[in-house]
């Protein structure tokens, strides 16, 4: 727990009065490259285990559009930031921590993609937002002139919240199951179920022939006549 | 049938990867060196004259016996790391060595010839204070161990406890030392600081307290460092503040006052601020010590004194003198004193202890290594010669942990570099070309050559070709000359002058940085130390980072390495620039670093002298470039907008990215904060800069290609949960792009705990963790793919890769604990990769990466068989023939360093810990090398045979044609 009472623990957060809450999404694009953040939109989180998120954002003003184009011309950065929040905590006061999470994208790629960007919020196991990323699609800067002012008015944003993936553990159960199946198959195999004689008939036959050969060699020639 | 195919697939794959060393290959391209660490106790076996044994106990918890003639190990016992295996005391009597380990937890007796354990006793709890051998009537029978609050006596032959007694008033009195003079009594000395001394007398037979007295001594703070027992039971103490010696008769009942002798009356004075040291000797534990003793008054002033009839008289003053030690052989005790001779040498002389007279012809000259440290310990082995005079040998330990064994008149018998027992980091540097090769290279490398014109160039060319011819003839002559000599006398001694790169660049210079601040240059082929350099004034817990700024490829510029030495607490650092081949300090001016250094960054940008530029970022996010010539600064300004770096603050869980500005300041561009309340960052690793990836993708069973996600800026961040409960603990894995701060992948390994070892390379990452639920070690592999299509196949840019990669992951059980993990590295990256797993047993397992492939199928299909995928099995096999170091185990393996060689198939491996082991591995076998037993005769005879057969048949055909034409 730190100074302002921010709790970000993996404890069982009880989603009681979870009616959702919102945090600002701010952006900055300046020709002199000194960040001065202003409001871009509002991120609205819906409660529940599924971290639904919705972004309500303003249109870019005429001035902003020009600035953005100028920044793109000098290959400046377009930065965004969100405050550090927890999506799990049950009280609004405990939700927010000191500081922001920032990231950037090249302003020219934002312009060239006609403001279509993908913003992803990454949370940790306890539901704290740990990082934010922004990419534009397409992401390249080819130097294409964007003449149409309409293209730079409205953001076409895809926003999502990504929680960590649970890494797999060694899968022993299916493996054992498979081994058992193999064993069963082997058991059913008629070749394996043969009787002792069926399996080793050649050995027995060979042995018998060998015995017969040796015994016939040992018996004196006269003995055979006596028996007959 | 399917099962048969599975088994066949497994066995075929094993056949392919299985590789072991043949018997005749042992030691052919590998070597191991064993070390012991900093010597704390060293005892010579004086039991018999011919004995070569030297028993040592070190700070690395190693107890070993050295051959004093060669310096080799007879045997070595490596105990547990940390305080549990700490060796508290080493005593020797006859064939037995008694060792107290683990802060007085265990008492062990070792047989010194073969190093076998004779007996072991578990002692009562309590912190260890002192141990001593106890003799009765000229015969040593017992060993006494003093703990904080108890004393126990043990039988020397069986270890059984004779008696144990609690010490009186042990909560107020600090009992510190123990003494027995063979008269049936054991004395225990305790002190109440700045008040009085307590002396308790125990009877040996039953531990009965015979007498207990306390003597006023207000000046006394600690017994251990300032007191000793001399003569027939006289306690002698020295105090710096009162500038006095104090004596106390132990056995007389009437003397309860300590006698004070001012040092002034002896015309002596202790140097200010120096804690004087008393050294006495007790040649036989069953007899009282000698009445002579050394008093050290300042770091380079010793004096030999004698107590006679209650009076202290100086026998000989040694001023200046660095070290002094007693040694006994038979009935004669001598003192060896090391005095400075000149700036580079010391002389050691022998004096008889009872008179202080110098023995004639006993001088040993000890030459100090100009690149080494000062001597700080002297161990003397005295022996009687045939003419009954005393001869001696000495072992000198220096600050840089070098053990030098000398004999008269100054011959160095052997040298051990024990600093190598604690290697911190290392690099492998290519050796330079030979002089002639370099000549050839250099001639065309010079810029002046362009202006020379055609004719001088031709002449130059001819002259250098002539030099080459000369060198070749000399080489042939040497071969011929050597061939006549018997094979054994031909030695290929490696010296610093004969160093040159071999054909396949298999021989390299290993630059090793040790914790004591000593640098070594070791030839990787033979393990010979070619240069060493001790850096003085290194803080004990400094952090080192070794950077190769310029390789050998830029003749005539010498190669250049830079070592960043950083103080762990203050973060202040300084740079040491040197030539890695010759170990010489470079004359280049080094930037001063007034502020703590947070991060270093080696750029691919090179200055006009072909040195890569090193950026140092301080705590105010200011950047210092080294070298910082105008050329470099210009280049940095041009490329500033594409230079990014990251910083990690694990105490706040903060990762932040910065971009360089043109004026060498920086700007923050991204920030990721991982709350420390839940998890803390334990490790972070990028990819190795010298890694090459040969193939962009993997060909699947259906002939389509799965492209790898090869992001050179990707960082692997490992976190561990703060909650250590076995059900709730977890290990977090974050893959973060170091340029944009984008979290590419985030995974959580639940019910897992560290320590996590991991390797991050190509498009994959392998980590090992402890599964706290099943209590076993597990391997997990993550592979990243772009998919069936590449986004931009020509160039990779972190700024332009909008689609997240596909991540595949699989886990396996590893049936052994792990000490360290590393991956093989080859020149072009064509050879398949192996993981080198250092096991606590000292073995290094070479595990094919093929087994750690998240695409291993559960059920075998036609396609997976086509792709040569091994069916999934949860347990990772450990096969004995995969141990690359067969029986040459590396004790306490801490790190593995891999380096590519000139042969694509071969990777050089160095494992270091307490020992150093160097070898080569061939992950895909030696596909580019002819085998040793390659049949040249057969091949050439077949070729010649075919050649002649064609010649003859051609001739025959011609004759036949001619005949037909005549017909």
């Amino acid at each position: 727990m730190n100074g302002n009472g921010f709790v970000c623990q993996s404890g069982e957060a009880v989603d009681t009065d979870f009616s959702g809450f919102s945090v600002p999404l701010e952006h900055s694009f300046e020709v002199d490259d000194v960040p001065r953040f202003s409001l871009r939109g509002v991120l609205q989180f819906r409660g529940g285990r599924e971290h639904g998120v919705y972004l309500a954002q303003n249109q870019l003003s005429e001035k902003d559009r020009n600035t953005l184009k100028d920044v793109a011309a000098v290959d400046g950065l377009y930065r965004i930031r969100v405050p550090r929040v927890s999506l799990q905590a049950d009280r609004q006061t405990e939700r927010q921590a000191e500081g922001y999470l920032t990231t950037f994208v090249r302003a020219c790629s934002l312009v060239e993609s006609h403001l279509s960007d993908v913003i992803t919020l990454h949370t940790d196991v306890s539901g704290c937002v740990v990082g934010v990323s922004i990419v534009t699609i397409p992401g390249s800067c080819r130097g294409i002139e964007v003449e149409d002012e309409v293209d730079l008015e409205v953001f076409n944003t895809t926003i999502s919240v990504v929680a960590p993936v649970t890494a797999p553990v060694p899968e022993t159960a299916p493996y054992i199951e498979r081994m058992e199946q193999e064993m069963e198959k082997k058991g059913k195999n008629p070749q394996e179920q043969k009787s002792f004689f069926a399996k080793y008939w050649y050995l027995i036959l060979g042995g018998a022939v060998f015995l017969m050969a040796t015994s016939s060699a040992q018996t004196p020639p006269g003995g055979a006549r006596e028996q007959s | 049938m399917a099962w048969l195919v599975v088994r066949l697939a497994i066995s075929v794959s094993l056949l392919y990867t299985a590789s072991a060393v043949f018997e005749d290959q042992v030691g052919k391209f590998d070597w191991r060196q064993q070390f012991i660490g900093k010597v704390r106790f060293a005892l010579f076996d004086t039991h018999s004259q011919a004995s070569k044994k030297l028993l040592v106990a070190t700070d690395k918890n190693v107890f070993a016996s050295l051959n004093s003639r060669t310096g080799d190990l007879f045997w070595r016992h490596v105990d547990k790391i940390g305080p549990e295996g700490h060796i508290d005391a080493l005593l020797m009597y006859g064939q037995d060595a008694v060792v107290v380990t683990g802060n007085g937890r265990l008492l062990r007796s070792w047989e010194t010839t073969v190093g076998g354990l004779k007996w072991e006793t578990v002692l009562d709890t309590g912190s260890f204070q002192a141990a001593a051998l106890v003799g009765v009537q000229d015969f040593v029978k017992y060993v006494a161990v003093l703990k904080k609050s108890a004393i126990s006596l043990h039988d020397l032959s069986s270890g059984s406890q004779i008696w144990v007694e609690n010490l009186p008033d042990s909560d107020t009195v600090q009992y510190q030392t123990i003494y027995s003079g063979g008269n049936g009594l054991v004395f225990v000395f305790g002190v109440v600081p700045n008040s009085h001394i307590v002396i308790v007398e125990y009877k040996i037979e039953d531990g009965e307290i015979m007498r207990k007295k306390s003597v006023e001594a207000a000046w006394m703070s600690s017994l251990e460092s300032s007191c000793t027992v001399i003569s027939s039971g006289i306690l002698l103490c020295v105090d710096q503040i009162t500038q006095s010696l104090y004596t106390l008769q132990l056995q007389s009942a009437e003397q309860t006052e300590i006698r004070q002798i001012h040092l002034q009356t002896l015309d002596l004075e202790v140097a200010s601020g120096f804690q004087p040291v008393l050294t006495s000797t007790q040649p036989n534990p069953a007899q009282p010590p000698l009445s002579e003793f050394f008093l050290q008054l300042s770091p380079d002033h010793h004096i030999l004194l004698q107590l006679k009839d209650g009076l202290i008289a100086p026998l000989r003053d040694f001023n200046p003198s660095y070290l002094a030690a007693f040694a006994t052989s038979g009935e004669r005790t001598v003192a060896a004193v090391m005095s400075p001779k000149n700036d580079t040498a010391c002389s050691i002389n022998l004096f008889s202890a009872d008179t202080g007279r110098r023995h004639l012809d006993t001088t040993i000259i000890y030459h100090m290594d100009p690149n080494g440290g000062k001597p700080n310990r002297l161990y003397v082995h005295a022996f009687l010669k045939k003419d009954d005079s005393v001869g001696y040998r000495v072992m000198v330990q220096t600050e840089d942990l070098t053990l030098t064994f000398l004999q008269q008149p100054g011959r160095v018998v052997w040298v051990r570099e024990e600093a190598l027992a604690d290697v911190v980091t290392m690099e492998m540097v290519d050796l330079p070309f030979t002089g002639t090769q370099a000549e050839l290279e250099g001639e065309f490398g010079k810029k002046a050559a362009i202006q020379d014109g055609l004719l001088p160039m031709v002449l130059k060319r001819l002259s250098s070709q002539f030099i080459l011819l000369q060198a070749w003839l000399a080489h042939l002559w040497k071969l011929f000359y050597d061939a006549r000599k018997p094979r054994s006398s031909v030695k290929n001694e490696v010296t610093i002058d004969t160093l040159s790169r071999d054909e396949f660049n298999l021989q390299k210079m290993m630059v090793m940085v040790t914790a004591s601040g000593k640098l070594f240059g070791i030839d990787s082929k033979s393990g010979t130390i070619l240069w060493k350099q001790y850096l003085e004034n290194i803080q004990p817990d400094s952090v080192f980072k070794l950077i190769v700024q310029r390789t050998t490829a830029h003749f005539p510029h010498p190669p250049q390495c830079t070592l960043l030495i950083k103080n762990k607490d203050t973060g202040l650092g300084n740079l040491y620039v040197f030539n890695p081949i010759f170990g010489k300090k470079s004359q280049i001016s080094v930037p001063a670093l007034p502020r703590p250094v947070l991060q270093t960054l080696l750029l691919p940008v090179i200055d006009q002298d072909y040195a890569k530029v090193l950026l140092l970022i301080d705590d105010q996010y200011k950047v210092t470039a080294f070298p910082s010539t105008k050329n470099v600064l210009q280049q940095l300004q041009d490329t500033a907008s594409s230079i990014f770096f990251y910083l990690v603050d694990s105490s706040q869980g903060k990762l932040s990215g910065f971009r360089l500005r043109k004026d060498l300041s920086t700007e923050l561009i991204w920030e990721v904060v991982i709350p420390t309340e839940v998890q803390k960052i334990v490790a972070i690793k990028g990819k190795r800069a010298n890694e090459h990836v040969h193939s962009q993708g993997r060909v699947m069973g259906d002939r389509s290609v799965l492209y790898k996600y090869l992001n050179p800026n990707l960082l692997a961040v490992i976190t561990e949960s703060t909650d250590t409960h076995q059900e709730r603990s977890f290990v977090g894995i974050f893959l973060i792009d170091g340029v944009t701060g984008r979290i590419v992948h985030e995974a959580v390994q639940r019910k897992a705990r560290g320590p996590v070892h991991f390797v991050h390379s190509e498009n994959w990452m392998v980590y090992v963790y402890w599964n706290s639920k099943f209590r076993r070690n597990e391997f997990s592999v993550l592979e990243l793919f772009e998919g069936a299509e590449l986004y931009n196949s020509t160039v990779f840019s972190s700024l332009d890769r909008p689609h997240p990669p596909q991540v595949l992951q699989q886990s396996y059980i590893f049936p052994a604990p792990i000490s360290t993990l590393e991956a093989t590295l080859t020149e072009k990256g064509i050879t398949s990769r192996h993981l080198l797993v250092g096991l606590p047993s000292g073995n290094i397992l070479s595990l094919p990466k093929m087994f750690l492939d998240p695409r291993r199928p559960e059920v075998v299909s036609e396609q997976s068989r086509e792709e040569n995928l091994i069916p999934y099995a949860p347990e990772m096999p450990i096969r004995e023939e995969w141990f690359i170091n067969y029986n040459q185990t590396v004790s306490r393996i801490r790190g593995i360093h891999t380096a590519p060689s000139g042969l694509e198939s071969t990777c050089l491996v160095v494992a270091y810990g307490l020992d150093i082991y160097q070898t080569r591995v061939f992950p895909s076998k030696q596909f580019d090398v002819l085998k040793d037993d390659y049949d040249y005769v057969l091949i050439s005879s077949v070729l010649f045979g075919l050649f002649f057969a064609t010649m003859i048949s051609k001739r025959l055909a011609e004759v036949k044609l001619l005949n037909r034409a005549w017909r």
Side-chain angles (χ1 to χ4, degrees), chain B residues 320-380:
Chain B
S321 60
Y322 290 147
L323 301 164
F326 284 110
T328 304
S329 177
E331 292 298 303
R332 297 165 69 171
T333 300
V334 289
V337 179
M338 179 190 265
S339 313
K341 192 161 183 275
N342 51 38
D343 286 347
T344 60
C346 288
S347 66
I348 304 163
N349 282 296
L350 210 59
F351 301 86
S352 82
D354 45 357
T355 61
R357 209 168 289 141
R358 195 168 86 89
H359 285 233
L360 291 174
D361 302 325
T362 55
T363 307
I364 290 180
I365 304 293
Y366 170 72
H367 291 279
M368 285 192 284
D369 186 355
N371 304 326
K374 290 198 194 77
N376 61 2
R377 291 291 285 276
L378 184 69
Y379 303 96
V380 184

Side-chain angles (χ1 to χ4, degrees), chain B residues 787-808:
Chain B
E789 268 174 56
L790 267 184
Y791 178 78
N792 179 352
S793 57
T794 48
V795 68
F796 187 95
S797 168
S798 284
L799 297 170
D800 180 16
R801 237 350 93 142
H803 303 293
Q806 300 170 11
V807 182
L808 301 176

Side-chain angles (χ1 to χ4, degrees), chain A residues 24-156:
Chain A
L25 170 71
E26 291 167 299
H27 64 172
S28 156
F29 42 98
E30 302 291 336
V31 181
D32 59 357
D33 219 10
V34 177
R36 280 182 287 272
F37 285 95
S38 58
L39 193 71
R40 168 173 160 179
V42 176
L43 287 165
Q44 286 178 340
F45 295 98
R46 252 169 258 130
R49 287 279 161 196
E50 301 285 309
H51 296 307
V53 63
Y54 170 74
L55 177 64
Q57 50 193 350
N58 318 332
Q59 286 193 351
L60 277 185
S61 67
E62 176 80 39
K63 191 174 148 246
D64 285 346
R65 282 201 298 268
N66 288 332
T67 323
L68 187 62
K69 274 176 136 182
D70 291 346
V71 173
V74 297
D75 196 11
L77 302 183
Y78 173 82
R79 301 155 193 263
I80 56 163
R81 74 173 186 190
V82 288
R84 288 178 60 197
V85 286
S86 171
L87 309 184
Q88 282 281 319
D90 47 352
R91 282 206 308 276
Q92 193 74 31
T93 48
E94 289 190 352
R95 211 158 255 154
Q96 202 156 331
E98 234 175 309
Y100 289 89
L101 303 166
T102 51
T103 190
F104 71 99
V105 71
R106 286 164 80 187
C108 56
S109 67
L110 188 71
V111 171
E112 284 180 31
S113 65
H114 306 286
L115 302 188
S116 41
D117 54 356
V118 179
I119 296 174
T120 315
L121 297 167
H122 296 269
T123 65
D124 70 354
V125 274
S126 61
C128 276
V129 178
V130 296
V132 57
S133 74
I134 176 168
V135 289
T136 59
I137 294 176
S140 57
C141 275
R142 294 208 184 80
I144 306 162
E145 278 290 305
V146 180
E147 291 297 333
D148 200 353
E149 289 288 309
V150 185
D151 286 341
L152 293 180
E153 242 170 44
V154 186
F155 282 102
N156 173 20

Side-chain angles (χ1 to χ4, degrees), chain B residues 829-894:
Chain B
I830 300 168
T831 308
S832 60
R833 308 289 294 268
H834 275 204
L835 284 175
L836 299 171
V837 187
L839 306 176
S841 63
N843 288 111
I844 303 162
L845 181 78
S846 180
L847 188 69
K849 170 70 181 52
M850 213 175 176
F851 281 92
L852 290 157
D853 184 345
R855 300 189 58 251
R856 281 175 70 175
E858 288 274 337
V859 183
V860 191
S861 67
E862 195 65 46
Q863 291 199 348
S864 71
R865 211 172 302 144
E866 185 90 356
E867 231 184 301
N868 237 339
L869 292 174
I870 309 164
Y872 180 77
E875 189 167 355
M876 194 63 62
I878 294 184
R879 315 183 105 230
E880 303 271 299
E881 64 264 32
W882 289 350
F883 289 153
I884 58 168
N885 56 343
Y886 44 106
N887 64 353
Q888 308 270 21
T889 52
V890 183
S891 279
R892 290 196 197 142
I893 185 161
R894 261 202 328 274

Side-chain angles (χ1 to χ4, degrees), chain A residues 1-2 6-10 12 32-35 75-77 79-80 84 100-106 109 118 120 122-126 128-142 162-176 178-179 182 185-186 189, chain B residues 1-4 6-7 641 644 652 659 661 667-679 723 728 730 733-734 739-750 767 769 771 774 776 778-780 791 797 799-803 809-813 857-860 871-874:
Chain A
M1 190 185 284
N2 61 20
F6 174 66
V7 180
C8 221
Q9 253 148 20
S10 56
E12 313 308 313
D32 59 357
D33 219 10
V34 177
D75 196 11
L77 302 183
R79 301 155 193 263
I80 56 163
R84 288 178 60 197
Y100 289 89
L101 303 166
T102 51
T103 190
F104 71 99
V105 71
R106 286 164 80 187
S109 67
V118 179
T120 315
H122 296 269
T123 65
D124 70 354
V125 274
S126 61
C128 276
V129 178
V130 296
V132 57
S133 74
I134 176 168
V135 289
T136 59
I137 294 176
S140 57
C141 275
R142 294 208 184 80
V162 175
V165 180
T166 301
V169 291
E171 291 165 36
T172 38
Y175 180 75
I176 292 167
R178 211 177 70 218
M179 291 281 279
E182 296 286 350
K185 219 183 264 176
K186 207 190 267 175
N189 201 332
Chain B
M1 192 60 199
W3 177 238
L4 200 72
V6 170
R7 276 204 291 192
S641 63
F644 298 86
Q652 290 178 31
R659 183 163 81 155
R661 285 212 189 116
E667 57 175 330
L668 180 76
I669 48 171
W670 60 265
E671 232 175 336
V672 166
V673 186
I674 301 169
T676 48
E677 293 88 355
V678 183
Q679 52 194 334
D723 191 348
R728 293 190 296 271
F730 64 88
I733 303 102
F734 294 82
V739 170
T740 62
R742 182 181 180 191
I743 299 178
V744 171
H745 183 66
E746 187 186 351
V748 171
Q749 193 80 50
R750 295 200 186 264
Y767 60 91
Y769 58 92
N771 186 324
F774 292 108
R776 65 192 180 197
E778 288 177 6
F779 255 117
S780 195
Y791 178 78
S797 168
L799 297 170
D800 180 16
R801 237 350 93 142
H803 303 293
Q809 187 169 13
Q810 215 168 50
S811 299
Y812 315 90
I813 302 164
E858 288 274 337
V859 183
V860 191
Y872 180 77

Side-chain angles (χ1 to χ4, degrees), chain B residues 438-712:
Chain B
E439 179 84 15
L440 205 64
E441 287 266 316
E443 158 198 355
F444 299 107
K446 280 172 202 155
K447 281 171 193 157
I450 305 160
Q451 291 122 32
D452 269 3
L454 196 66
L455 195 68
M457 283 289 278
V458 172
L459 285 178
K460 250 187 190 175
R461 179 84 209 180
L462 283 176
S463 71
S464 53
Q465 289 289 0
F466 180 70
I467 293 168
L468 274 186
L469 183 74
Q470 235 179 348
W472 185 64
L473 284 176
H475 175 71
L476 278 188
W477 172 247
K478 191 171 174 288
L479 273 185
F480 174 69
Y481 193 74
D482 285 346
R484 293 193 308 169
K485 284 199 277 185
R487 186 153 281 209
S488 58
S489 69
V490 182
K491 267 190 220 159
N492 280 323
E493 285 268 314
V494 186
T495 61
I496 209 139
D497 308 313
T498 60
L499 270 187
S500 67
R501 196 183 298 188
D502 60 336
E503 227 172 327
F504 298 122
N505 201 4
L506 290 167
Q507 187 178 3
K508 293 200 181 199
M509 178 67 86
M510 290 160 52
V511 180
M512 296 193 127
V513 181
T514 62
S516 63
K518 196 169 186 183
L519 311 183
F520 290 89
I522 300 175
D523 168 38
S524 75
K525 198 176 181 183
S526 61
T528 322
I529 296 171
L530 294 172
W531 58 263
K532 46 198 171 190
Q533 179 71 49
Y534 178 58
L535 309 177
E536 278 170 62
N537 308 323
I538 299 277
Q539 300 295 318
D541 55 348
S542 294
V543 184
F544 297 92
K545 185 159 185 178
L546 184 63
I547 302 135
V548 182
Q549 278 197 294
R550 181 164 57 217
T551 59
T552 3
H554 306 288
F555 188 83
H557 301 288
Q560 181 182 322
C561 274
T562 301
L563 181 69
L564 173 70
I565 308 150
K566 206 168 105 174
N567 190 310
K568 206 172 190 176
D569 299 325
T570 62
L572 288 171
N574 58 312
L575 294 173
Y576 177 79
V577 186
F578 62 100
N579 179 334
I581 304 298
F582 301 107
K584 290 203 184 72
K585 189 176 175 180
S586 172
Q587 298 304 318
I588 296 171
S589 62
V590 173
L593 304 171
R595 301 212 60 85
V597 177
L598 295 182
Q599 174 76 290
T600 59
L601 189 65
L602 189 69
L603 296 181
V605 176
I606 53 171
D607 71 347
Q608 69 268 42
D609 292 339
Y610 304 99
K612 281 185 187 164
V613 175
L614 181 70
L615 295 186
L616 301 144
I617 295 105
D618 66 23
D619 65 342
Q620 291 184 334
Y621 312 117
K622 287 272 187 309
V623 173
T624 313
F626 170 70
S628 56
T629 56
K630 209 177 244 176
N631 179 315
V632 169
L633 295 178
Q634 183 59 45
Q635 286 191 58
L636 282 180
Q637 275 191 13
D638 296 346
T639 53
S641 63
S642 61
I643 297 173
F644 298 86
F645 60 91
Y646 68 93
L647 295 177
V648 187
D649 183 353
S650 59
S651 64
Q652 290 178 31
K654 196 189 265 179
L655 289 138
S656 38
F658 293 82
R659 183 163 81 155
L660 195 67
R661 285 212 189 116
K662 286 198 193 312
D663 58 347
L664 291 191
S665 63
T666 57
E667 57 175 330
L668 180 76
I669 48 171
W670 60 265
E671 232 175 336
V672 166
V673 186
I674 301 169
T676 48
E677 293 88 355
V678 183
Q679 52 194 334
K680 55 181 190 298
I681 299 169
V682 289
I684 185 157
K685 239 187 230 179
K687 288 177 189 173
R688 287 179 67 163
N690 57 348
E691 178 183 272
H692 291 272
V693 181
H694 185 254
S695 67
Q696 288 269 310
R698 282 182 62 163
V699 181
M700 316 275 283
D702 58 359
R703 295 285 181 275
S704 64
V705 177
L706 188 62
Y707 287 99
K708 294 173 183 172
Y709 179 77
L710 297 167
N711 183 350

